[in-house]
Amino acid sequence: MTDATTGELLGDLYGYETLLTDDERKELTGIRRFLHEEVRPRVNDAWATSDFPMDLVPRFAEEGMVGRSYDLEHRPRASRLFTGFIALETARVDPSMATFLGVHNGLSMGSIVLLGSDEQRARWVPEMVALDTIGAFALTEPHGGSDVARGLETTARREGDEWVIDGAKRWIGNGTIADVVVVFARDVADDSVKTFVVEKGTPGFTPTKMEGKYALRTVQNADIVFEDCRVPAENKLEHGNTFKDVNRVLKLTRGGVAWSAVGCQMGAFEAAIAYAKERSQFGRPIAGFQLIQDLLARMAGNVTASLGMAVRVSQLQEEGVFRDEQAALAKAFVTGRARETVALARELFGGNGILLENDVVRYFADAEALYSYEGTREINSLIVGRALTGVSAFV
């Protein structure tokens, strides 16, 4: 265990990082250094103003943090464990940045990799890996979240060599800065959910930044309106033809949210340890108070259990036996523990815990968003319950 200022993982009490190869650990050390030296000094100001520091975007690509889950011509995919630790390290510094990368890397690029043709992957993925093209993922709607599988209101109709999309999307991460948006719409001809790539500047495509958001403030969430939005037929992803295809993407990315939730609580936990060592009351550091040590031990338990589950999820993905309920359980459990951990950390800080300069209030607020997106606890619990009982409890 070392001081948080060195960038070491104080929260990895069981040494899960040692499961990485030597080369992976060396690369992770470089990514950790970049995040602490170049990203960390920017995150509080960006969070306060809800502006995204666009000048950092190319640096994520340069540091090898983009597209690592996929086999590319110039680079084979990294292990699921390694990409998980990248998500952890990013969220440990800033959950907003982890969400930006999660949307781009997982939801958007993942949709194109999993559901696109060879030609479509060749058209979009290389520029996305270089972050010359930023991606977004448009599934949630103003009137639909958990029920979009059956209640998707955005429609698409085929007219000659074009598809015409009408409707609206909400809560679309990266929506105002994206160059390509993966859009899900119900085909009026056969009532099935199809997947499209809508490019920035397409007539009839209007993204508007959502204001008044007090979690993941740096993430540029958008309301998007589609009015007679015409996209070329070749922009319909070849293998995106039903909601089951959408679930292929979501099953993969829920594991990534679990890793981000581990990083979020680890960042709060490390901030709490540092504060406990330097904050004095009644003539001595509060780190020596029994109640403070109890808070830290409870946080350590949450972080350790969460990291262990995230590690096992990545191992299952690597083995190719990863099931819906495994992703759902990890997402529900780890984000729930994150919610508790950041609350305990804020409690340890006392009144100072609501000052942005101390970081913990940022983790506290951001954990609420991680808890809710990519499937609420309730929905993920029903996925697990269905697997355990063989009976669906969905409406």
Side-chain angles (χ1 to χ4, degrees):
M1 298 259 296
T2 56
D3 190 85
T5 56
T6 67
E8 299 295 328
L9 288 180
L10 299 186
D12 187 9
L13 297 180
Y14 285 12
Y16 285 111
E17 188 181 339
T18 61
L19 296 174
L20 296 170
T21 67
D22 289 343
D23 287 344
E24 287 172 333
R25 294 186 72 185
K26 181 178 179 180
E27 185 176 0
L28 189 67
T29 298
I31 290 172
R32 182 179 295 159
R33 184 179 301 113
F34 156 69
L35 289 167
H36 280 264
E37 292 179 359
E38 297 187 38
V39 178
R40 180 177 285 279
R42 308 282 299 279
V43 297
N44 281 346
D45 286 344
W47 197 92
T49 61
S50 72
D51 293 323
F52 195 90
M54 295 298 294
D55 59 297
L56 284 176
V57 169
R59 293 289 293 120
F60 289 115
E62 290 165 7
E63 291 296 325
M65 299 172 67
V66 183
R68 301 304 298 273
S69 297
Y70 315 112
D71 284 307
L72 306 172
E73 288 187 7
H74 67 288
R75 184 181 66 196
R77 74 169 181 85
S79 72
R80 301 296 184 192
L81 189 63
F82 180 68
T83 58
F85 268 101
I86 292 177
L88 182 155
E89 289 288 354
T90 309
R92 177 178 168 233
V93 168
D94 184 23
S96 285
M97 293 298 177
T99 299
F100 162 77
L101 287 174
V103 170
H104 176 81
N105 268 327
L107 291 169
S108 184
M109 198 188 313
S111 295
I112 295 171
V113 169
L114 291 175
L115 307 182
S117 64
D118 289 342
E119 183 279 327
Q120 289 169 328
R121 287 190 287 269
R123 193 190 333 168
W124 287 303
V125 169
E127 289 195 354
M128 295 181 79
V129 171
L131 269 176
D132 293 328
T133 292
I134 296 173
F137 178 93
L139 177 61
T140 304
E141 299 183 339
H143 302 128
S146 299
D147 64 344
V148 290
R150 298 179 181 176
L152 205 69
E153 295 180 355
T154 300
T155 62
R157 68 181 189 276
R158 182 71 180 262
E159 290 189 0
D161 293 332
E162 295 179 321
W163 285 88
V164 184
I165 302 175
D166 288 288
K169 300 291 183 178
R170 187 165 174 78
W171 291 111
I172 308 309
N174 302 350
T176 60
I177 60 175
D179 301 292
V180 294
V181 181
V182 175
V183 178
F184 301 91
R186 188 173 298 280
D187 186 350
V188 297
D190 62 10
D191 205 39
S192 63
V193 175
K194 292 189 167 58
T195 310
F196 304 88
V197 174
V198 179
E199 297 176 289
K200 184 179 182 179
T202 300
F205 166 76
T206 307
T208 304
K209 181 180 176 180
M210 295 178 65
E211 301 289 354
K213 179 166 62 80
Y214 282 88
L216 299 177
R217 284 174 54 80
T218 308
V219 177
Q220 302 300 290
N221 288 90
D223 284 308
I224 300 179
V225 174
F226 300 90
E227 294 180 302
D228 196 37
C229 179
R230 295 174 178 268
V231 299
E234 58 265 27
N235 281 30
K236 185 220 157 264
L237 293 183
E238 182 175 336
H239 305 295
N241 297 307
T242 70
F243 200 82
K244 288 183 179 179
D245 299 323
V246 184
N247 270 331
R248 291 174 58 197
V249 180
L250 295 177
K251 182 169 71 171
L252 180 68
T253 57
R254 281 184 183 127
V257 178
W259 278 100
S260 291
V262 176
C264 178
Q265 58 184 308
M266 194 176 286
F269 172 62
E270 291 178 346
I273 291 176
Y275 183 78
K277 290 179 178 180
E278 63 90 14
R279 174 69 169 175
S280 292
Q281 294 282 277
F282 304 103
R284 61 192 178 105
I286 65 172
F289 295 170
Q290 289 183 356
L291 290 178
I292 295 297
Q293 290 194 4
D294 176 66
L295 291 177
L296 292 172
R298 289 163 64 188
M299 284 186 268
N302 284 344
V303 172
T304 301
S306 298
L307 180 54
M309 183 173 281
V311 165
R312 185 57 184 151
V313 164
S314 291
Q315 291 173 333
L316 289 167
Q317 286 179 313
E318 201 70 52
E319 294 166 11
V321 295
F322 191 47
R323 301 192 301 270
D324 287 342
E325 64 269 23
Q326 293 166 334
L329 181 61
K331 199 280 176 180
F333 178 86
V334 176
T335 57
R337 298 288 70 73
R339 210 179 188 198
E340 180 178 83
T341 299
V342 297
L344 294 173
R346 203 225 60 77
E347 180 180 339
L348 185 148
F349 272 81
N352 286 332
I354 65 172
L355 292 174
L356 185 57
E357 67 188 50
N358 290 321
D359 292 328
V360 72
V361 72
R362 177 167 50 82
Y363 295 114
F364 182 88
D366 289 352
E368 289 298 300
L370 296 175
Y371 182 75
S372 298
Y373 72 46
E374 288 205 43
T376 62
R377 184 196 64 80
E378 292 81 4
I379 290 297
N380 280 298
S381 295
L382 293 182
I383 294 172
V384 176
R386 180 179 60 193
L388 294 175
T389 66
V391 179
S392 175
F394 289 94
V395 175

